[in-house]
Amino acid sequence: MIQASSDDYWTFKDKLLKMWVPAVGVQTAAGLCTRNFEKFFAEEISCVMPDFLDREMIKEIFELYVFKQDLESSFDTQPPFQLNEAILTGSLTEGLFLYTAEPPDVDFMCELKNIMFSKDDQESGCLLLRDDTPFVYAFITNKETQHLWREFFDDVNKEEGVHRLSSRKLKEKLQENYQKSGRTIFPFYDNKQLEEVAEGAALTVFNSKTASSVIHYPIVLMKTFLFEPLAKTLEFLHNDWDPDPFFSRKLISFDIVLSIFCEGWPFCAKEWIIRERLWPDIHSVEKIKQGGFHIIPKSSPDGDFRLSFSCAETTLIKTLTPLQLKVMRAFKAVVKYYQNTWSENLKEIISSYHLKTIAFWHFEKSSQESWTEETLVHHLVTLLEELAEALRMQYLPMYFMPKFNLLQDVDDPELMLDLMERISQLSHNFTAMSEAVDNYTTRV
């Protein structure tokens, strides 16, 4: 346990306790922003939203302007390449986004219609996994489905009658449809560059206009209206509130992640279901198990698709207590704030997914009783220490598939050790951590 004796410690602890935690788990962007509106009024202003800010009106504004991305136009109206459902994933829906000059990550996991892998399909070997990796090949054995998706089969074994789905052809189809819709991908990705979009995405869509946070602007408007003289509010609206140009630039970029739904739970991740743990509870584990999973097109040397546990991760985050969510956001803020100020070589070594994995492992082995206001700083320091240890060992097991090391592709051990030493020092510097929390989590 940390020896709480310095003023810096108490100041930092107070900042953590006062941190606002956004809504978690809403799967539509407009619904999530609406929920955050309500949450802000309830928790920060201690009142319900005024009548003139009707909930449905706010939701409609977000749907029409902020998140009107017309995802369906990137898919066909006839089988097979149709959109079944667009699910919001990433830091926005997880409540882990940070207040920065750029908007939070916005990922739309677009589930394909007319195709899925049942439990029987998986038992018959339709998803061929390389041992101890999350990479798979997807084979189609159903005759009707084969006919429907025949233009998307890989060419390598076609003559041998092997019907393996091609992730590249799916991504190329999405790109082709997006361009046909009259919009341009910026920058343009040719076939070679198609592999270089954001991690896990089939397409990254850029808006060339400058953007600001979709959360930041509405809160500025509310605070101006509630706490400033009427004249200043009118000036703010006159100068800044032009709905079409304002909202059209809110989403500077978003990722379209193609996905295929799979029933049940992958056999390669069965260990997660049965292992002993303190978190999550058995009911949450069963809910995740029954909820299924997805595979996403992600070409790699190991396979054509990658297992995706995004929905399971969102469900896990929804089970966290407010104190745990505050620590998780602060952990991300501290690491990202200083990683961005250190040398360029250190800037991108640790991803948000690495940090989330560290947090999940820590939550799993810590009892709920250990999470109190008095232990908040201790848990955050422990997360930093566990990250430093993972960097030192160059070993971070994937949470759902621990045999897969997320740091196995490290190509510069010296850089990793440099980052490890910096994070280790940071874990004892409450003033530095306070600065990061101030800049990335409490600024609105």
Side-chain angles (χ1 to χ4, degrees):
M1 185 66 68
I2 296 171
Q3 295 298 316
S5 57
S6 70
D7 291 339
D8 292 340
Y9 168 88
W10 292 107
T11 299
F12 183 48
K13 177 186 171 184
D14 187 58
K15 287 183 187 297
L16 293 181
L17 290 173
K18 291 180 179 179
M19 187 189 302
W20 184 65
V21 177
V24 175
V26 184
Q27 292 190 328
T28 66
L32 186 66
C33 290
T34 305
R35 177 70 188 94
N36 273 316
F37 251 68
E38 296 175 321
K39 201 170 188 292
F40 179 83
F41 271 97
E43 297 178 1
E44 296 296 297
I45 310 175
S46 300
C47 69
V48 297
M49 279 203 307
D51 292 338
F52 69 86
L53 288 176
D54 177 73
R55 187 181 193 278
E56 291 305 313
M57 179 193 75
I58 295 296
K59 185 177 181 181
E60 184 177 352
I61 288 174
F62 279 115
E63 287 174 342
L64 289 176
Y65 295 103
V66 182
F67 291 103
K68 186 180 181 182
Q69 299 304 324
D70 196 17
L71 292 170
E72 289 188 1
S73 66
S74 296
F75 296 84
D76 294 343
T77 57
Q78 299 296 322
F81 198 78
Q82 292 177 285
L83 174 65
N84 183 49
E85 183 182 12
I87 304 170
L88 181 68
T89 61
S91 64
L92 193 65
T93 188
E94 292 170 346
L96 301 177
F97 62 88
L98 304 176
Y99 294 110
T100 65
E102 297 180 356
D105 298 334
V106 180
D107 301 325
F108 291 99
M109 188 166 72
C110 293
E111 187 178 284
L112 287 170
K113 201 174 183 178
N114 309 305
I115 187 170
M116 58 91 71
F117 289 93
S118 66
K119 293 181 180 179
D120 290 340
D121 290 332
Q122 296 170 59
E123 289 175 0
S124 64
C126 289
L127 296 183
L128 182 61
L129 182 89
R130 201 192 92 171
D131 289 344
D132 303 337
T133 78
F135 299 104
V136 299
Y137 289 112
F139 296 90
I140 298 179
T141 56
N142 179 276
K143 296 296 183 182
E144 183 178 346
T145 309
Q146 284 177 356
H147 178 75
L148 195 62
W149 290 91
R150 60 190 182 279
E151 66 178 287
F152 296 97
F153 291 152
D154 188 89
D155 297 325
V156 176
N157 299 309
K158 186 176 291 186
E159 294 181 359
E160 302 174 15
V162 177
H163 304 286
R164 193 182 83 183
L165 202 60
S166 168
S167 64
R168 172 174 291 281
K169 289 185 177 181
L170 290 174
K171 290 188 286 186
E172 288 174 347
K173 175 64 173 176
L174 180 69
Q175 180 187 21
E176 177 187 339
N177 281 12
Y178 190 83
Q179 292 169 347
K180 283 182 179 179
S181 68
R183 295 166 293 178
T184 303
I185 303 169
F186 179 81
F188 181 79
Y189 290 101
D190 59 24
N191 290 343
K192 181 179 179 181
Q193 293 169 314
L194 196 60
E195 303 275 348
E196 300 172 5
V197 296
E199 178 70 18
L203 182 69
T204 298
V205 179
F206 290 87
N207 188 333
S208 58
K209 296 181 180 180
T210 304
S212 59
S213 171
V214 297
I215 302 298
H216 177 72
Y217 189 96
I219 293 178
V220 171
L221 173 60
M222 284 190 293
K223 295 184 80 172
T224 304
F225 180 87
L226 292 167
F227 302 120
E228 300 290 347
L230 180 60
K232 187 168 182 179
T233 302
L234 294 175
E235 179 184 355
F236 176 80
L237 292 173
H238 176 74
N239 293 334
D240 296 303
W241 188 258
D242 186 0
D244 286 333
F246 164 71
F247 282 117
S248 68
R249 66 174 184 266
K250 289 304 94 183
L251 220 50
I252 188 172
S253 70
F254 62 93
D255 294 330
I256 298 178
V257 181
L258 282 177
S259 69
I260 299 173
F261 177 73
C262 306
E263 286 184 342
W265 189 252
F267 183 79
C268 58
K270 182 180 178 181
E271 183 272 344
W272 182 80
I273 298 294
I274 62 177
R275 72 177 176 233
E276 294 184 6
R277 54 162 59 86
L278 297 176
W279 171 89
D281 61 43
I282 189 172
H283 301 293
S284 299
V285 172
E286 185 62 25
K287 180 179 179 180
I288 289 173
K289 176 184 174 183
Q290 297 300 326
F293 62 102
H294 292 83
I295 59 172
I296 60 175
K298 172 63 178 172
S299 295
S300 74
D302 307 316
D304 233 14
F305 292 82
R306 183 181 180 124
L307 298 175
S308 172
F309 300 100
S310 291
C311 293
E313 290 164 6
T314 300
T315 300
L316 284 177
I317 291 175
K318 286 172 66 176
T319 70
L320 299 178
T321 67
L323 290 178
Q324 289 172 317
L325 285 168
K326 289 180 180 184
V327 167
M328 199 169 179
R329 290 193 78 216
F331 177 46
K332 181 177 179 179
V334 169
V335 174
K336 289 298 182 181
Y337 180 70
Y338 285 102
Q339 194 172 357
N340 287 339
T341 61
W342 293 331
S343 71
E344 286 296 317
N345 292 334
L346 297 174
K347 189 174 181 179
E348 300 297 335
I349 291 179
I350 297 298
S351 69
S352 296
Y353 189 72
H354 290 132
L355 302 181
K356 183 162 59 175
T357 300
I358 291 283
F360 281 168
W361 281 114
H362 178 70
F363 295 147
E364 184 174 287
K365 63 188 179 186
S366 59
S367 67
Q368 293 298 303
E369 293 75 17
S370 72
W371 285 89
T372 67
E373 292 185 359
E374 299 306 315
T375 63
L376 208 58
V377 177
H378 166 74
H379 281 290
L380 177 55
V381 170
T382 301
L383 285 175
L384 290 166
E385 291 174 342
E386 290 175 350
L387 173 59
E389 178 64 12
L391 292 170
R392 186 184 72 83
M393 299 292 294
Q394 296 172 30
Y395 178 70
L396 176 57
M398 186 177 176
Y399 181 64
F400 292 105
M401 294 179 61
K403 290 183 179 181
F404 183 69
N405 178 15
L406 296 176
L407 298 177
Q408 68 178 12
D409 295 326
V410 174
D411 55 5
D412 195 332
E414 290 186 6
L415 273 180
M416 295 288 279
L417 291 176
D418 183 13
L419 184 57
M420 178 271 293
E421 291 175 0
R422 291 172 185 261
I423 290 174
S424 182
Q425 293 172 7
L426 190 59
S427 68
H428 298 92
N429 190 334
F430 299 125
T431 301
M433 288 190 283
S434 289
E435 181 180 341
V437 169
D438 272 339
N439 277 275
Y440 273 11
T441 66
T442 59
R443 186 176 62 191
V444 294

